[in-house]
Amino acid sequence: MVDASPITAVLGPTNTGKTHRAIERMLSHDSGMIGLPLRLLAREVYDRVTTRVGEARVALVTGEEKRVPRRPDYWVCTVEAMPVDLEVDFLAIDEIQLAAHDQRGHVFTERLLLSRGRRETWFLGADTMRPLVSELVPTASIVQHPRLSRLASAGAGKLSRLPPRSAVVAFSTPQVYEIAERLRAQRGGAAVVLGALSPRTRNAQVALFQSGEVDYLVATDAIGMGLNLDVRHVAFAALRKFDGRAVRDLDPAELAQIAGRAGRHLADGTFGTVAPLSLPDGVAAAIEAHRFPPVRRLLWRSSELDMSSIDALLASLRARPRARSLRLVDDAEDTAALARLAEDPEVRARARGEEAVRLLWEVCRIPDFRKLLFESHIALLAEIYGQLSGPNAALDAGWMAARVAEIDEVSGDIDTLITRIASIRTWTYISNHARWVRDAAAWQERTRAIEDRLSDALHERLVQRFVERGGGAARRLRAASGAPPMQRRAEAEPPEVAEGHPFARIAALRARLAPGPAAPAPEDDRARWVEELVGAPHERFSVDVGGRLFDGERLLGQLARGPTLLLPDVRLAALEDLDLGAGARSRVLRRLVAFARDLVEELLAPLRSPEVRALPGAARGIVYQLEQGLGTAAARDAEEQVAELAPEGRALLAAHGIEVGERVLYVQPLLRRGALARRLALCAAWFDRGRVPACPAPGAVSMAVARGVDPRAYAAIGYPVFGTRALRADVAERVHRALASGEPAERLSGWMGCPAREAPRVAASLLGEERGPAAV
């Protein structure tokens, strides 16, 4: 690809603000896309972007989740799920050093070599990529920023003496569980983050940590890829991991990626190990100085695939790279699946012709989320391909329903629920291929609902097993009593046998520790409500003319003055009955801010359609003036643009409901009742209390100007002030035309909706003969 637009490689250690800078840069363009390494991180960035511009302008695309509004400007995706044929002004790929990853690296390398934005492209990642970026993308400008906070080694320390706000990192699920159980016994509990957790479970676990409900987090290297957590210290409980092929030592750069989660923004962080483990000589110093050997080779696979036959496809997948710095990926999961299915005579018989081979390749790319037996995954792919290549060209609904129903069961232990979540992810991925299933939207809703139920159950099991109930403050009070946590908890249990029996306490403790689902605690209900609210569609929320935000009958918050009239902030209601922690309140607030942005986007949709954006310069200037006034502007404030407006431009504006009058510019659809209520809500947030007009009566063409109300607020709701009346914009223009043609003002009082005695003064203001306080 010819690199016609500027390319920037932002390379450096963690906590240098790379992703933040890329998001800001993307939002400075009219359109953009960012590819991220994890669906958890994609969801976090999606939440951040929608808080800025609303959900109506942002698409979220991962393998298992697609939220694509009608006309998105910005796309937040996992790297594998990026719609690469879509042209956008700005494109960014995060964690580009993953191009060296054995399984996923070829996808990142392909993006590095081929993916470009129309106007600008950014690659974000570790400084170890500098030599290869310079070699493979010679036109790239390499930029580096210093880490925002200091990262220092704290050496080895006992688990029982870890400072609060620590993350303990292990690389196997059994070790994560063992450490979390020890922290529960010694320190009251821990949140758990595994790569296999769903976003819903992960968010609920992180909320426990962020809110201070627990002071410790036990995680795998899933926390190493840019997830923002309030971690002050990272302690490694292991330095070796199974990478899918063998158990190996982590290299210093990988350890630094994880250790860099300690410290956030300007807050310093520390890292170390859990005694008796210690870091090899020189590794701590390398992490502190952010100096590591450069990446030497990237994984690669040809993007020019031959779909004429199975054998031709396999041959193209095995084509060798020409650059010495690229290495062919030799064990990709999808290629292995294709090779295995190619041995099946029935599959070979069906896969004849380019269309059939292309379908087979799409089926082979269904991820093996379960990671159980490869043979089991191949059998599922063969069944799916058999149905899709059959006469119905779609999956049998009954067969699919039976497979999904087997998964829809919330009983069982943690590992069972994690396995079920992995299984339902497969069906969510499949249902997001609309050509494969009939009524795809219904299937997507069904599989998401199952994943939500499983996620809630998993969060409950994790809390039940690894967290002492009662929250951080309650734990600290109990700790002051001096009794060990397990003893205090046993003493708090009511006896299950006759009171006074010598084994009463032992029986109570045994019941407490018995396996099986526990009744959800109030905090579980709160977590479920927060998750549902955060994931709810725009239609769940409502706003009244006073700017109050509701979820049904529940008051959630209030629109508040933001940086501009079009960017209101939100002030949360008390929500005392829910007793939300800081993390949960932050997520609810973020969702409401996104709703506020959607409110503005929905209101101004007539001004933001692609057709309107494509209008010539003078017309765009008029549109800008109208946006700033919520759909109304004074003609005198746009005199220059109106003078330059060609007749065809005026006609194009009129075709979109935009009227260019002699006294007022206005948008006809924004004078309707529903739009009026939204305009009032935004005005209630922006203008000082008491300076906002009352809501006009239905059908009212004018209002008497109230003392103390800001005239600009009348204009912002579509009722600019003329003399003693605030006239609806279209009525003002109609009356002005009649007055200009010689019609007496007194005969137009009915049109103005005012007493005859007021008509002359209103008419004088409309004709520009009276200069009063009532500018639009």
Side-chain angles (χ1 to χ4, degrees), residues 546-757:
R548 296 185 302 168
L549 302 169
F550 293 88
D551 171 25
E553 298 297 320
R554 180 189 288 277
L555 176 65
L556 296 176
Q558 171 81 46
L559 294 180
R561 187 183 179 97
T564 71
L565 176 61
L566 303 185
L567 293 172
D569 281 335
V570 172
R571 189 169 56 247
L572 273 187
L575 301 173
E576 294 99 335
D577 59 317
L578 292 173
D579 190 25
L580 299 179
R585 288 182 66 85
S586 174
R587 298 185 68 216
V588 171
L589 178 62
R590 185 165 56 188
R591 179 64 187 90
L592 293 181
V593 171
F595 170 74
R597 301 293 182 265
D598 279 343
L599 193 72
V600 175
E601 189 67 27
E602 187 179 86
L603 174 67
L604 299 180
L607 297 171
R608 293 182 172 178
S609 68
E611 297 82 7
V612 172
R613 288 182 182 179
L615 290 172
R620 286 203 307 273
I622 289 171
V623 169
Y624 175 79
Q625 296 268 13
L626 288 167
E627 279 194 344
Q628 300 311 300
L630 296 184
T632 311
R636 67 170 174 272
D637 291 338
E639 284 179 357
E640 185 177 335
Q641 292 93 337
V642 172
E644 295 175 2
L645 190 62
E648 55 270 25
R650 188 181 291 265
L652 285 170
L653 288 172
H656 291 91
I658 300 169
E659 300 293 337
V660 180
E662 293 295 322
R663 296 288 281 131
V664 186
L665 314 179
Y666 62 94
V667 185
Q668 188 68 48
L670 300 191
L671 298 178
R672 296 171 185 157
R673 193 73 186 169
L676 174 61
R678 295 185 181 92
R679 295 171 83 169
L680 274 164
L682 294 170
C683 286
W686 177 251
F687 292 98
D688 294 337
R689 185 182 297 275
R691 305 206 69 189
V692 180
C695 183
V701 297
S702 74
M703 295 184 288
V705 175
R707 183 182 299 274
V709 173
D710 195 320
R712 295 172 300 170
Y714 281 112
I717 68 169
Y719 283 72
V721 173
F722 295 98
T724 59
R725 306 293 294 185
L727 268 64
R728 203 173 67 200
D730 57 342
V731 172
E733 276 302 310
R734 180 186 175 199
V735 172
H736 180 269
R737 286 194 298 271
L739 290 169
S741 66
E743 193 77 22
E746 290 78 3
R747 294 177 57 180
L748 298 175
S749 61
W751 287 13
M752 300 180 198
C754 69
R757 66 178 181 275

Side-chain angles (χ1 to χ4, degrees), residues 305-313 316 351-358:
L305 302 182
D306 186 346
M307 299 289 179
S308 59
S309 69
I310 292 180
D311 293 330
L313 175 57
S316 60
R352 297 184 183 278
E354 183 173 330
E355 186 176 343
V357 173
R358 192 176 300 279

Side-chain angles (χ1 to χ4, degrees), residues 88 145 263 363 444 472 519 604:
V88 291
H145 299 282
V363 171
Q444 291 162 20
L604 299 180

Side-chain angles (χ1 to χ4, degrees), residues 450-520:
I450 293 172
E451 181 173 323
D452 287 349
R453 286 194 290 274
L454 293 170
S455 299
D456 291 341
L458 176 57
H459 174 62
E460 290 172 11
R461 302 296 193 282
L462 290 168
V463 171
Q464 177 189 355
R465 182 170 172 183
F466 300 126
V467 178
E468 181 183 351
R469 294 285 191 182
R475 283 199 318 278
R476 284 185 280 274
L477 284 172
R478 288 194 299 271
S481 70
M486 294 289 282
Q487 178 185 334
R488 292 193 301 273
R489 188 166 61 249
E491 290 174 348
E493 291 293 327
E496 297 294 332
V497 295
E499 190 173 353
H501 193 282
F503 295 115
R505 289 184 180 177
I506 295 176
L509 179 60
R510 182 177 295 146
R512 177 75 177 185
L513 300 178

